[in-house]
């Protein structure tokens, strides 16, 4: 604390934002006699309003990425913990951990959204808004799962069908899908549009009694997704 004396008045001035107990000793003197008095001082705490250092800025991030905001750069309070409430939407989820807010767009979404937020110390509240712009990025085609025949299957007929799950691209890009059949040093490839294709062992001139590998790829022109590799065996017993 500090004091100021003037016109027979004594002003007691606590330091800014300080509260607690203290003592003040006042000494009186007329050049012959001296006396003193002890004053107990108690400064009670009062809630100070939160302070906005600056508004939240616009946020720009790439599709499927997260973005963290250091909340302490924008709001502060000398005597209270702040409570942040963000209005999430169908496109954006915002979580707060300590003094960091994490912005998470929903998978594969891009575009612009406006986020409303309130910042409170329990008594005082400030309202704020900011924009979130999610920039689109190219996504690879979806995972490809081979379905039939199962790997290491022995064919039971010269006619057989290879099948896999339907292939999608979340960006709706046009896809080029390719089926590969490989054995020894040979490699066959087929452009495909459906999720299955029928073959004949004799027409393909496939060998007997050795593993034959097959897999599927999908390309959107810049990114490629490749399935796992399965094998099948053409037993010589089905030749005739």
């Amino acid at each position: 604390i500090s004091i100021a004396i003037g016109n027979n008045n004594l002003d007691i001035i606590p330091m800014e934002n300080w509260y607690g107990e203290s003592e003040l000793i006042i000494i009186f003197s007329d050049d012959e006699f001296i006396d003193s008095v002890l004053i107990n001082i108690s400064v009670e705490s009062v809630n100070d309003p939160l302070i906005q250092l600056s508004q939240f800025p616009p946020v720009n991030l790439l599709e499927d990425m997260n973005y963290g905001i250091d909340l302490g750069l924008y709001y502060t309070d000398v005597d209270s913990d702040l409570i942040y409430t963000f209005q999430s939407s169908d496109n954006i989820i915002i979580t707060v951990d300590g003094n960091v807010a994490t912005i998470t767009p929903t998978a594969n979404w891009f575009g612009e959204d406006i986020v409303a937020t309130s910042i409170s110390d329990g008594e005082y509240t400030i309202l704020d808004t900011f924009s979130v712009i999610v920039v689109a990025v190219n996504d690879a085609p979806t995972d490809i799962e081979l379905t039939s025949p199962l790997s290491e299957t022995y064919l039971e007929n010269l006619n057989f069908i290879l099948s896999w799950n339907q292939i999608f691209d979340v960006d709706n890009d046009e896809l080029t899908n390719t089926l590969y059949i490989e054995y020894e040093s040979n490699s066959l490839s087929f452009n495909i549009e459906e999720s299955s294709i029928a073959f004949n062992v004799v027409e393909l001139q496939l060998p007997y009694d050795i593993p034959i590998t097959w897999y599927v790829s999908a390309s959107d022109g810049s990114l490629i997704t490749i399935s796992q590799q399965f094998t099948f065996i053409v037993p010589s017993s089905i030749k005739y």
Side-chain angles (χ1 to χ4, degrees), residues 14-35:
M15 293 180 61
E16 185 178 7
N17 298 319
W18 177 83
Y19 61 91
E21 305 289 333
S22 188
E23 294 179 343
L24 175 64
I25 299 176
I26 303 176
I27 300 174
F28 304 90
S29 173
D30 61 1
D31 294 331
E32 180 178 358
F33 298 100
I34 189 170
D35 199 0

Side-chain angles (χ1 to χ4, degrees), residues 199-231:
F199 291 109
N200 180 273
V201 169
V202 177
E203 290 179 355
L204 290 182
Q205 299 182 9
L206 296 179
Y208 295 92
D209 299 323
I210 66 170
I212 299 172
T213 301
W214 68 285
Y215 58 94
V216 174
S217 73
S219 171
D220 64 5
S222 60
L223 297 176
I224 298 177
T225 298
I226 301 176
S227 73
Q228 75 272 51
Q229 294 185 353
F230 276 8
T231 62

Side-chain angles (χ1 to χ4, degrees), residues 122-192:
E123 180 179 358
Y124 300 100
T125 299
I126 295 178
L127 302 179
D128 199 354
T129 60
F130 61 95
S131 64
V132 176
I133 299 174
V134 179
V135 180
V137 296
N138 184 37
D139 294 276
T142 56
D143 290 341
I144 305 170
E145 180 181 354
L146 306 183
T147 57
S148 179
L150 298 178
S151 192
E152 301 181 0
T153 292
Y154 283 79
L155 299 185
E156 298 179 351
N157 195 292
L158 293 176
N159 296 313
F160 65 99
I161 297 175
L162 301 179
S163 61
W164 50 92
N165 67 317
Q166 190 171 356
I167 305 171
F168 295 96
D169 187 280
V170 296
D171 303 316
N172 295 317
D173 293 331
E174 184 176 348
L175 297 179
T176 300
N177 302 328
T178 306
L179 167 69
Y180 297 89
I181 298 177
E182 298 176 349
Y183 56 92
E184 297 179 331
S185 60
N186 299 287
S187 180
L188 307 175
S189 62
F190 305 87
N191 290 330
I192 51 178

